[in-house]
Amino acid sequence: MQLDTIERLDTAALVSAAQEGDTVAWERLVEEFSPMLRARIRRFRLSHEDAQDVLQTTWLLAWQNLRSVEDGQRMAGWLATIAFRECLKLTRRTKEICTPDLDSLGSTDDVDRELARIWLAGTLAELVEELPAAQRVLFRALTETSEPHYVDVARRLGRPVGSIGPTRARCFAKLRGLLQAREITRDFLD
């Protein structure tokens, strides 16, 4: 299927066309999903070079495994999962935390807050890995965008809309328990 004559296709059609070898469809997928992937990768506070490497590796793995995608509407989640795993691999491999230029933050309190936030983000990523699979998948789906809609998340995950809220509540309760077990409370950052 050639996309030259088609104005706008949905993601599933683009994935299907790319699976058939249509390079224009693949380029559109890269163009459409790269901003989302960059945003997800930025959450790991990697250096610019490492973030670019993760992005390239994500797209390489996506290209190599594109035929395994059965539901093209789930492409965003699939790509986000690949990027997340690649970020985890990199951070585990290097065991380094990339911090901003602390001199630019100003006061010692600002520096302390920023370091605590970075540490907490890494800890949260570790704790998410400890969640049961269904909760972990839902957590990632809900945090992919700043304003997730339960209907969209339910459709992407193939779950009833009414199950999203209760599963989210169990997920967050489990995360709160894991944070409390590590004695991390709200006043940790204050």
Side-chain angles (χ1 to χ4, degrees), residues 75-92:
M75 187 71 170
W78 184 67
L79 289 168
T81 300
I82 293 171
F84 181 81
R85 289 179 180 160
E86 289 305 307
C87 286
L88 285 179
K89 282 182 196 174
L90 181 66
T91 56
R92 285 183 185 142

Side-chain angles (χ1 to χ4, degrees), residues 72-145:
Q73 292 296 1
R74 296 182 181 205
M75 187 71 170
W78 184 67
L79 289 168
T81 300
I82 293 171
F84 181 81
R85 289 179 180 160
E86 289 305 307
C87 286
L88 285 179
K89 282 182 196 174
L90 181 66
T91 56
R92 285 183 185 142
R93 202 168 44 241
T94 61
K95 295 286 185 197
E96 294 175 2
I97 297 176
C98 298
T99 59
D101 178 12
L102 297 179
D103 293 334
S104 70
L105 290 174
S107 74
T108 303
D109 289 342
D110 292 339
V111 171
D112 290 345
R113 264 195 297 284
E114 182 64 9
L115 288 173
R117 191 190 64 70
I118 292 167
W119 177 82
L120 188 58
T123 301
L124 183 60
E126 291 173 16
L127 296 179
V128 167
E129 288 301 306
E130 294 180 27
L131 293 172
Q135 292 178 10
R136 190 171 51 242
V137 168
L138 178 64
F139 180 85
R140 290 179 184 143
L142 290 171
T143 57
E144 282 177 2
T145 63

Side-chain angles (χ1 to χ4, degrees), residues 12-171:
L14 287 172
V15 170
S16 178
Q19 287 172 329
E20 293 173 15
D22 188 330
T23 57
V24 174
W26 175 254
E27 289 169 4
R28 285 191 184 179
L29 287 169
V30 171
E31 183 180 319
E32 180 178 340
F33 290 109
S34 285
M36 178 270 297
L37 289 173
R38 281 189 192 95
R40 291 191 63 84
I41 293 166
R42 265 195 306 270
R43 294 179 186 170
F44 278 82
R45 298 277 187 201
L46 303 173
S47 69
H48 176 73
E49 293 79 15
D50 285 343
Q52 287 300 107
D53 287 347
V54 168
L55 182 64
Q56 288 178 3
T57 301
T58 299
W59 283 116
L60 175 63
L61 291 170
W63 176 254
Q64 291 172 339
N65 297 288
L66 189 61
R67 294 226 179 262
S68 70
V69 176
E70 294 176 10
D71 181 357
Q73 292 296 1
R74 296 182 181 205
M75 187 71 170
W78 184 67
L79 289 168
T81 300
I82 293 171
F84 181 81
R85 289 179 180 160
E86 289 305 307
C87 286
L88 285 179
K89 282 182 196 174
L90 181 66
T91 56
R92 285 183 185 142
R93 202 168 44 241
T94 61
K95 295 286 185 197
E96 294 175 2
I97 297 176
C98 298
T99 59
D101 178 12
L102 297 179
D103 293 334
S104 70
L105 290 174
S107 74
T108 303
D109 289 342
D110 292 339
V111 171
D112 290 345
R113 264 195 297 284
E114 182 64 9
L115 288 173
R117 191 190 64 70
I118 292 167
W119 177 82
L120 188 58
T123 301
L124 183 60
E126 291 173 16
L127 296 179
V128 167
E129 288 301 306
E130 294 180 27
L131 293 172
Q135 292 178 10
R136 190 171 51 242
V137 168
L138 178 64
F139 180 85
R140 290 179 184 143
L142 290 171
T143 57
E144 282 177 2
T145 63
S146 59
E147 295 181 26
H149 297 282
Y150 282 9
V151 173
D152 296 333
V153 170
R155 189 177 321 121
R156 273 197 9 244
L157 298 179
R159 296 183 186 169
V161 175
S163 74
I164 301 299
T167 305
R168 176 189 175 275
R170 286 190 298 276
C171 171

